[in-house]
Amino acid sequence: MSDRSLPQSSWVVFSSSRTTPSESTVKDDKEKSYATSTITAVGSAPSSAKSSPAASILDAEKGESTLDDDEKLANYLVPALEKGVKNARVKPVSRWIQFRVWYNPYRINFTIAFVLNMIAIVVACTHGFPYAEQHGAALALGNIVASVACRNEFFLRCLFWIIVKIFQKWTPLWMRIFWTGFLQHIGGIHSGCAASGIAWFIFVVVRTFQHHVARNTPKVVLAWGIVTVVVTVVTMVAAAPWIRAHHHNFFERHHRFAGWASVVFVWILVCLTDSLNVEGGFTSSGRRLVQTQEFWFALFITILIAIPWFTIRQVPVEITTPSPRVAVIKFQRGIQQGLLGRISRTATMEYHGFGIISEGVNSGCHYIIAGVQGDWTRGLVNDPPKQLWTREMKFAGLPYLAHLYRRGIAICTGSGIGAVLSTCVQLDNWFLIWIGSDMEKTFGPVLFDMIHRTIPKERYILFDTKKEGRRPDTMKMLKDVYVAFKAEVVLITSNPVGNAELMQGCKENGMHSFGPLWDS
């Protein structure tokens, strides 16, 4: 988003899924960070000069609009940029806003979890934390329990459900925004506690070596401590952002299987260390082991990891490929909005998470839209299977938190429709904005039929950039709809660059917004 001369944007009338260019123009002189707009309208009057455009955000603030909100949104005129112009912004967003978007709750959660643990380790190293000297392994395993829980389908479903039931709609908006940010970015606790747990394991092993002579520690305990640390470090390194983004198969194999191996090694280490006696020998009494904190933490980790795998099933699917870029996967049974699913060709490898599209729990079916991004998704298009493995226990995602708000906007591009369409179909207080290129040809008739049947035209905007030959002035459109629809929040589902740009624009204009991250 570099500085450029002021581009102009025209307006195209929105009616259902088609938009048509128009001719008359008026100047909006209050757009400060974005280009001056040229507004055109197509009205019912024979002369376009007599027609009036849909009220902008400024008109709404002045109270000048004579249309009710539904009529205004049903006949909204979508602002479109000139051909070849990709963005209406004429100056970069401030560094402060860029930092606020970058230092999101994910990084805040990571910082809090990791820094608190590092402070505790430093204090323990100076012998100021006696508990850590005796129960360092418990502190390590406690962090791993928190890390595993933050990625466990059952725990997250329960946590999301509780927060929504307690805080939905009636609580102050700032509180609902806080819980949305926390739950969406709970992955920061996952990574922060995992790194902290490994740091505590290293502390325990170092302390064991320092005191192994005085405590008559057997060499097998020392060796197994090193093996456990090495395997857990491999598990963590395999999940590094760069590896996860560029070598997904490496991440899948090493993070999952090294993680399972870590659990086994931790069990052996716990059993070895807690069965030691003061003479350096081993006791065969299991009663002592069951009474230790380490035993119960290891048990909780095992249960949390195992629960989702008891729900895997091989299910029949119908896959249609309306274009070489998309596979539309149809499953049996309806699903409530806000849930995401994991699918795979095999029982244990390469589970990929996708948003779920369904008209409701009684609809009889649901869909997953898999856009081609790599070899695995390309295989769904080139060689569509008749069956796929899935976890019957679906996990709650960001759209599930739509229940917290009285009214909201879901804006998406391309295959991002898969994450938010159910929300706008099943909840009548949510507005859908979908932007894409050659959308009906790319995604097929199923989604468009669902939109036209279930969402009234005053609650959605579809903008096809190829059909119109230009891009929309997205922030102008988003601001107008935000005011007219009386929205409290915006959910953004786009590519990483699009997410960042829209979130920066929303932050700049005082609109609450959330967009998914690679590990949110």
Side-chain angles (χ1 to χ4, degrees):
M1 294 186 295
S2 59
D3 291 334
R4 57 168 67 95
S5 61
L6 298 180
Q8 289 186 328
S9 64
S10 60
W11 289 65
V12 293
V13 65
F14 164 71
S15 176
S16 187
S17 63
R18 294 189 60 192
T19 51
T20 307
S22 54
E23 298 177 357
S24 62
T25 63
V26 296
K27 185 177 182 180
D28 180 357
D29 58 357
K30 292 195 176 183
E31 291 297 317
K32 295 179 180 179
S33 298
Y34 293 84
T36 303
S37 299
T38 303
I39 305 175
T40 62
V42 177
S44 58
S47 171
S48 61
K50 294 182 180 181
S51 62
S52 59
S56 70
I57 190 172
L58 302 174
D59 297 328
E61 291 171 349
K62 296 175 183 177
E64 296 177 355
S65 174
T66 59
L67 301 175
D68 61 40
D69 292 334
D70 287 347
E71 185 179 356
K72 181 167 58 179
L73 289 169
N75 297 282
Y76 180 70
L77 308 179
V78 178
L81 302 172
E82 288 187 343
K83 291 185 177 181
V85 177
K86 295 182 178 181
N87 198 312
R89 180 176 288 280
V90 295
K91 65 178 182 179
V93 69
S94 70
R95 291 187 179 275
W96 172 240
I97 289 179
Q98 291 181 43
F99 174 77
R100 290 175 66 191
V101 171
W102 176 83
Y103 195 62
N104 50 41
Y106 181 98
R107 291 183 168 90
I108 294 173
N109 287 338
F110 178 90
T111 301
I112 293 173
F114 189 72
V115 169
L116 288 178
N117 276 281
M118 291 306 101
I119 292 173
I121 289 177
V122 170
V123 174
C125 289
T126 60
H127 304 286
F129 191 4
Y131 178 84
E133 298 286 348
Q134 300 297 322
H135 300 284
L139 290 169
L141 291 172
N143 274 282
I144 300 300
V145 168
S147 176
V148 173
C150 290
R151 279 291 178 262
N152 178 263
E153 284 89 340
F154 178 75
F155 175 81
L156 290 179
R157 282 286 295 274
C158 292
L159 181 61
F160 274 60
W161 183 84
I162 290 171
I163 295 299
V164 167
K165 288 298 181 182
I166 294 176
F167 295 100
Q168 63 179 337
K169 298 182 176 65
W170 69 272
T171 53
L173 180 59
W174 66 264
M175 185 178 295
R176 288 175 277 143
I177 292 295
F178 166 80
W179 282 115
T180 302
F182 174 78
L183 292 176
Q184 183 206 354
H185 297 283
I186 200 169
I189 296 179
H190 166 75
S191 54
C193 286
S196 300
I198 293 172
W200 277 112
F201 272 130
I202 294 173
F203 169 83
V204 171
V205 172
V206 171
R207 273 288 191 262
T208 303
F209 270 89
Q210 288 176 338
H211 303 300
H212 77 281
V213 175
R215 296 178 180 177
N216 298 315
T217 305
K219 293 181 179 179
V220 65
V221 175
L222 301 176
W224 206 258
I226 295 175
V227 170
T228 303
V229 168
V230 170
V231 175
T232 53
V233 168
V234 169
T235 304
M236 181 182 69
V237 171
W242 186 86
I243 293 177
R244 187 169 175 177
H246 296 88
H247 302 280
H248 188 82
N249 288 344
F250 180 90
F251 157 74
E252 279 275 346
R253 295 187 183 98
H254 291 77
H255 191 66
R256 175 170 300 150
F257 294 112
W260 291 350
S262 297
V263 174
V264 175
F265 292 168
V266 163
W267 267 113
I268 296 173
L269 182 63
V270 167
C271 292
L272 285 175
T273 54
D274 285 317
S275 61
L276 283 175
N277 56 38
V278 292
E279 291 81 18
F282 295 97
T283 177
S284 60
S285 174
R287 181 178 300 177
R288 177 183 170 184
L289 178 62
V290 172
Q291 291 174 347
T292 62
Q293 301 172 47
E294 291 83 357
F295 170 84
W296 292 103
F297 280 136
L299 181 62
F300 291 151
I301 291 170
T302 305
I303 293 173
L304 286 172
I305 290 175
I307 284 176
W309 293 96
F310 283 112
T311 70
I312 62 170
R313 302 287 186 275
Q314 190 175 35
V315 297
V317 296
E318 298 177 22
I319 298 181
T320 57
T321 54
S323 72
R325 294 184 292 167
V326 170
V328 180
I329 311 170
K330 182 179 179 181
F331 297 80
Q332 297 175 359
R333 81 184 179 95
I335 300 288
Q336 72 178 92
Q337 70 82 219
L339 300 181
L340 291 79
R342 302 187 197 275
I343 59 175
S344 175
R345 283 180 177 266
T346 67
T348 59
M349 285 295 298
E350 281 204 84
Y351 274 87
H352 296 261
F354 294 93
I356 293 174
I357 298 174
S358 178
E359 295 183 38
V361 294
N362 298 318
S363 62
C365 68
H366 64 275
Y367 299 88
I368 281 178
I369 307 299
V372 172
Q373 295 181 340
D375 293 340
W376 192 87
T377 47
R378 187 175 295 108
L380 294 177
V381 174
N382 298 335
D383 181 25
K386 299 293 184 181
Q387 293 181 318
L388 285 173
W389 289 88
T390 185
R391 296 181 185 179
E392 292 293 285
M393 180 178 290
K394 311 304 179 186
F395 63 101
L398 174 61
Y400 187 88
L401 301 174
H403 295 282
L404 288 172
Y405 300 95
R406 297 183 181 93
R407 297 172 82 82
I409 300 170
I411 180 170
C412 60
T413 61
S415 57
I417 187 67
V420 298
L421 181 54
S422 280
T423 298
C424 298
V425 167
Q426 297 184 33
L427 304 180
D428 59 9
N429 58 338
W430 277 79
F431 192 101
L432 173 67
I433 300 176
W434 185 18
I435 303 168
S437 175
D438 209 8
M439 294 154 64
E440 194 157 6
K441 182 179 179 180
T442 300
F443 294 93
V446 173
L447 303 188
F448 288 86
D449 175 68
M450 186 183 298
I451 291 171
H452 296 318
R453 282 190 298 102
T454 60
I455 307 178
K457 67 177 183 177
E458 63 269 16
R459 282 206 298 113
Y460 71 88
I461 292 174
L462 311 181
F463 193 96
D464 192 320
T465 57
K466 185 172 184 178
K467 184 183 296 183
E468 300 302 331
R470 62 189 74 191
R471 296 189 178 192
D473 187 342
T474 309
M475 276 310 304
K476 177 67 177 174
M477 171 176 58
L478 193 54
K479 289 193 296 181
D480 289 345
V481 176
Y482 192 88
V483 169
F485 195 64
K486 300 180 178 63
E488 292 182 321
V489 70
V490 179
L491 300 187
I492 303 166
T493 309
S494 183
N495 56 61
V497 174
N499 280 347
E501 289 181 349
L502 286 175
M503 290 179 69
Q504 290 170 1
C506 287
K507 186 78 70 176
E508 188 176 39
N509 287 279
M511 298 184 290
H512 301 292
S513 64
F514 296 94
L517 298 178
W518 69 275
D519 191 32
S520 57

